[in-house]
Amino acid sequence: MTLAILVAISLMWISVAILFLGKGEAKGTGAITGFVGAVVVLGAFLQTAIFKDGFTGGLLFAHGLLYCTVSYALLAGLEDLRSVGNTSLAVAIISAIYMVIFFTGGTAADGSVLVGKSNYFAFACLGYTVLTVQVWLNAYGKVKASTLAWSLIIWVPVGLWIPAFMLMAKGTLPF
């Protein structure tokens, strides 16, 4: 389920990136961002409740709610995007925590594995952290929209498509 959600997220990232490069318009981009946000939040509920995976669900909730916030900002035509930036900062901190947990793995007191160590997912969460910090800084006028756009475009294959398609097709990650 989460792998398909990664593919869906790429639709939003590419659309927002192209908008930030001066192509497209805010309302259409806001619509796809809202659809993706809703899918991610719904996926987070399913991942947590049905698949009993609150760990993955937590990361999906954080990002899905950020996407819904971005959607609202685009659809409403907000000029002051600091509220989006503030939400993005919180998501950056959450992504950084996930990065550390994926890098170290997580075990219970009895030694059972709660979260498997994954260098690639740690790397992906590092990328998510950098991107959401860039969103925060962009909202405060500290990073140009074009810089954020190219970061999103570059990170789509690295942080979304490679893990999704490799795990769906081969069951493995590059590292």
Side-chain angles (χ1 to χ4, degrees):
M1 157 137 249
T2 301
L3 301 177
I5 291 172
L6 294 178
V7 174
I9 291 169
S10 72
L11 300 174
M12 177 251 173
W13 284 13
I14 290 171
S15 297
V16 169
I18 293 169
L19 176 69
F20 281 5
L21 290 173
K23 307 293 181 196
E25 48 81 37
K27 290 192 180 190
T29 304
I32 188 60
T33 303
F35 298 146
V36 169
V39 165
V40 174
V41 170
L42 177 60
F45 274 110
L46 295 173
Q47 194 71 33
T48 302
I50 305 297
F51 298 108
K52 308 292 184 215
D53 179 10
F55 181 72
T56 304
L59 188 60
L60 290 173
F61 273 122
H63 283 269
L65 292 170
L66 172 61
Y67 303 157
C68 290
T69 304
V70 172
S71 172
Y72 174 77
L74 292 171
L75 291 170
L78 296 183
E79 291 184 26
D80 183 350
L81 297 177
R82 289 178 296 177
S83 59
V84 173
N86 296 339
T87 304
S88 192
L89 176 61
V91 174
I93 294 166
I94 291 165
S95 295
I97 293 167
Y98 272 81
M99 177 193 64
V100 170
I101 294 171
F102 274 126
F103 185 69
T104 61
T107 56
D110 66 0
S112 62
V113 175
L114 298 173
V115 178
K117 186 177 187 289
S118 171
N119 290 332
Y120 196 87
F121 282 135
F123 172 66
C125 286
L126 171 63
Y128 306 154
T129 301
V130 170
L131 285 172
T132 49
V133 165
Q134 285 182 322
V135 171
W136 172 57
L137 292 172
N138 173 263
Y140 279 85
K142 305 297 182 191
V143 166
K144 293 190 300 187
S146 62
T147 301
L148 175 56
W150 285 111
S151 293
L152 286 164
I153 290 168
I154 291 166
W155 205 252
V156 164
V158 175
L160 299 174
W161 289 343
I162 288 173
F165 291 122
M166 283 193 73
L167 285 171
M168 284 191 278
K170 296 178 72 175
T172 62
L173 290 168
F175 56 87

